[in-house]
């Protein structure tokens, strides 16, 4: 539908992929994780990068940035919806190239990005799918991006991102944020909710559109996750880009997001798992206390995890240069 009006667009690269959200919010999928470029396409225009995808994708991110904003394009800032490895994978390489670009994250996320704390470990027994079973091999940090990391000001405004409001949407990660632009009701939800079934290898491979709560294996506070989805549904967004899955717009978005919020308990919260009955307790220093791991299905999970983890690693298209670091 949007493609009919190509001449009105500042640049034909906008809305050319199912991950683009609006004319000035372009999306890029890195294997199965999305990141976004906020800015009106055009040589030298200001822009902000939201998230940094999987390791090995720095080259593709720079290429897309240059296609949108011209040769040598460098963002005014990088904003992280949260610091999980699949959203910060290319960050180190990008920061090397893009000197002095600040990295904004919620203050509750800062300890995991500055070497102070690891994340609460993933729960491989949850979710029932191959990615959950392999999740125990996922790195949980601590990562250290040093003095480039800045806490987002408490009012939720980032000076490099005028018109956008930062909304704290915890649950999947303690300092998880979403970004909302009131004037056209555009939302970048991160992993607060997603638009594919991250627990199904087939859905991930085909990117079939399905609304889901946050990826279960990392979610460490389900009550907060439920409230966060309600907060985002209450904003009545007209277009959304999420961390996993395609962008969705209009009436379809409103129906499906409200349905997700109304049925979150039954549809998104797993019946058993480490963080289901008790959340991980965290503060500005990182982990304070954690529930003990559930023994449910752990041995099966480990078996599957070893198999799938090996496959995942073997087919991961990380560039050799990043593996060599
Ligand atoms: Zn995540
Ligand atoms: Zn994610």
């Amino acid at each position: 539908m949007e493609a009919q009006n190509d001449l009105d667009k500042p640049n034909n690269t906008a809305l050319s992929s199912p991950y683009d959200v609006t004319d000035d919010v372009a999306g890029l999928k890195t294997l199965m994780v999305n990141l976004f470029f906020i800015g009106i396409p055009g040589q030298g225009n200001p822009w902000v990068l939201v998230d940094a995808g999987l390791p090995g994708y720095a080259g593709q991110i720079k290429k897309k940035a240059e296609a949108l904003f011209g040769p040598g394009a460098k963002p005014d800032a990088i904003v992280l919806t949260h610091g999980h490895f699949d959203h910060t994978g290319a960050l180190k390489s990008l920061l090397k190239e893009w000197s002095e670009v600040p990295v904004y994250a919620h203050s509750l996320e800062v300890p995991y990005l500055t070497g102070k704390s690891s994340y609460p470990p993933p729960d491989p027994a949850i979710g029932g799918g191959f990615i959950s079973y392999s999740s125990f091999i996922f790195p949980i940090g601590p990562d250290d991006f040093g003095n480039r990391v800045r806490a987002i000001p408490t009012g939720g405004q980032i000076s490099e991102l005028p018109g956008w409001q930062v909304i704290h949407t915890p649950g999947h990660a303690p300092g998880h944020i979403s970004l909302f632009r009131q004037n056209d009701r555009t939302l970048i939800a991160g992993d607060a909710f997603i638009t594919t079934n991250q627990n199904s290898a087939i859905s991930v491979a085909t990117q079939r559109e399905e609304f889901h709560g946050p990826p279960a294996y990392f979610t460490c506070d389900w009550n907060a996750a439920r409230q966060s989805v309600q907060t985002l549904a209450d904003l009545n967004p007209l277009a959304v880009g999420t961390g996993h899955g395609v962008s969705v717009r209009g009436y379809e978005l409103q129906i499906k997001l409200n349905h997700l919020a109304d049925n979150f308990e039954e549809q998104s919260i797993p019946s058993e798992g480490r963080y289901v009955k008790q959340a991980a307790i965290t503060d500005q220093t990182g982990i304070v206390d954690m529930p003990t791991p559930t023994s449910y299905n752990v041995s099966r999970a480990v078996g599957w995890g070893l198999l799938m983890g090996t496959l995942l690693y073997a087919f991961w298209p990380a560039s050799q240069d990043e593996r060599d670091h």
Side-chain angles (χ1 to χ4, degrees), residues 33 82 86-87 172 191 215 244:
V33 188
H82 62 305
D86 54 330
H87 296 252
H172 178 61
D191 285 0
H244 306 269

Side-chain angles (χ1 to χ4, degrees), residues 274-294:
R274 182 170 188 170
Y275 306 107
V276 169
K277 296 203 168 56
Q278 207 188 327
I281 298 166
T282 61
D283 67 11
Q284 320 266 350
T285 65
I287 296 176
V288 176
D289 196 15
M290 276 189 300
T292 47
T294 171

Side-chain angles (χ1 to χ4, degrees), residues 34-38 46-53 57-58 61-62 65 69 73-84 86-106 109-110 113 145-153 157-161 166 177 179 188:
N34 306 327
L35 51 95
F36 299 93
F37 304 79
I38 302 182
W47 62 284
V48 164
L49 181 71
V50 180
D51 287 347
Y57 281 87
I61 295 169
K62 279 183 285 179
F69 307 107
K74 178 170 141 179
D76 288 345
I78 299 170
V79 179
L80 298 175
T81 60
H82 62 305
H84 286 156
D86 54 330
H87 296 252
T88 57
L91 189 56
K92 269 220 162 98
S93 299
L94 292 173
L95 290 180
K96 260 187 228 154
E97 202 112 341
W98 293 337
S99 56
E100 285 158 44
V101 172
V103 178
Y104 288 100
H106 192 277
E109 208 68 3
V110 168
L113 298 163
F145 300 103
N147 59 11
R148 305 286 277 280
V149 179
R150 314 223 175 124
I152 293 168
Q157 253 103 38
I158 296 171
S159 56
E160 290 88 345
L161 210 47
V166 174
I177 59 133
L179 292 166
I188 296 178

Side-chain angles (χ1 to χ4, degrees), residues 196-265:
T196 187
N197 182 356
Q198 194 66 9
N199 286 322
S200 155
I202 293 166
S203 290
V204 169
T206 61
Q207 293 282 293
R208 186 174 63 203
E209 188 206 304
E210 269 180 48
F211 276 56
H212 280 269
Y217 39 88
F218 267 136
T219 299
C220 58
D221 185 338
W222 283 99
N223 196 33
R226 181 181 57 73
Q227 283 167 7
S228 293
V229 169
Q230 188 62 58
T231 301
L232 296 179
D234 289 344
L235 296 171
N236 268 319
L238 288 176
V240 70
T242 67
H244 306 269
V246 294
S247 295
V248 184
R249 293 178 196 84
Y251 192 52
E252 183 187 4
L253 164 60
Q254 298 193 317
I255 298 277
K256 290 183 174 172
L257 180 54
N258 280 313
H259 183 83
L260 181 70
D262 291 345
N263 299 281
F264 192 85
E265 199 105 16

